[in-house]
Amino acid sequence: MGRLVVLIALAAVAWFTWDRGWRIEEEHVHQYYDRHAELFGAFDHEALCELMADDFSMDATVYANGQLVDDDVYDRDETCAMTRKMVNGMRILNSRSRGLLEFNMEVDIHSIDIAPGGRSATVEATTTVRMGDILVSRSRGTERLSRARWRVRSHGGEGRSWTY
């Protein structure tokens, strides 16, 4: 009888632990964006791509110098390729300036809507990238995040970006 009680207790702990690894909370969203900014500052495009789920899809509208440059939907592979190109360009500028040109990313979260059951969250945020005191770009949009096996992933969303 004692073994049965221990087995039931172990099963309950295992289920609770597993279930908690799939639920997303506001603190996980904040940790995700902090990690995203950290990887951006480290020019780690591979790790940035790992933050995207396999079904990632982003509807992006991009403006440069006040003109519409691009309005398209990008999957994970296309977004990773664009991220790689952008991050490599920033890394080159940083290294050629011997670290004088430093890029900083700041994410201002406007709202976090946790879905019933806690399996996903929709986040509205503004992301600002600066080179020192110079504004490089600003993006505003929504993104859907989920948590699986204790890791937060982005499934994409929609956004508008302005490059200056």
Side-chain angles (χ1 to χ4, degrees):
M1 184 67 162
R3 288 184 183 171
L4 181 61
V5 170
V6 170
L7 185 60
I8 291 172
L10 286 174
V13 168
W15 178 84
F16 179 77
T17 302
W18 177 83
D19 185 59
R20 296 298 297 165
W22 290 79
R23 292 189 186 275
I24 192 166
E25 297 173 358
E26 285 193 23
E27 78 176 86
H28 301 126
V29 172
H30 288 281
Q31 290 169 353
Y32 169 84
Y33 284 109
D34 290 345
R35 178 77 175 138
H36 196 273
E38 176 186 319
L39 294 172
F40 181 83
F43 307 116
D44 191 348
H45 59 81
E46 293 302 326
L48 286 168
C49 288
E50 289 176 14
L51 295 177
M52 293 181 227
D54 291 337
D55 66 347
F56 181 91
S57 177
M58 178 59 77
D59 183 357
T61 305
V62 181
Y63 299 91
N65 297 321
Q67 302 294 318
L68 177 65
V69 180
D70 194 11
D71 187 8
D72 211 345
V73 177
Y74 298 96
D75 65 15
R76 182 183 194 275
D77 293 337
E78 293 167 324
T79 304
C80 281
M82 288 188 305
T83 301
R84 183 177 298 111
K85 184 178 178 181
M86 177 188 65
V87 168
N88 282 338
M90 294 168 67
R91 179 189 347 236
I92 289 168
L93 283 172
N94 180 268
S95 67
R96 286 187 181 165
S97 71
R98 298 181 186 181
L100 294 176
L101 295 179
E102 186 175 287
F103 293 89
N104 297 307
M105 173 189 278
E106 179 183 311
V107 179
D108 182 24
I109 298 173
H110 303 293
S111 69
I112 301 171
D113 182 26
I114 306 290
R119 299 295 192 210
S120 67
T122 301
V123 182
E124 288 185 36
T126 300
T127 303
T128 304
V129 177
R130 295 182 186 280
M131 182 177 62
D133 291 338
I134 300 169
L135 179 63
V136 175
S137 72
R138 180 165 284 141
S139 303
R140 183 174 174 99
T142 60
E143 183 171 23
R144 191 173 74 80
L145 303 176
S146 70
R147 187 166 179 248
R149 291 180 226 110
W150 300 277
R151 297 176 72 188
V152 176
R153 295 279 182 266
S154 172
H155 296 271
E158 62 84 23
R160 289 194 170 105
S161 297
W162 294 266
T163 303
Y164 304 99

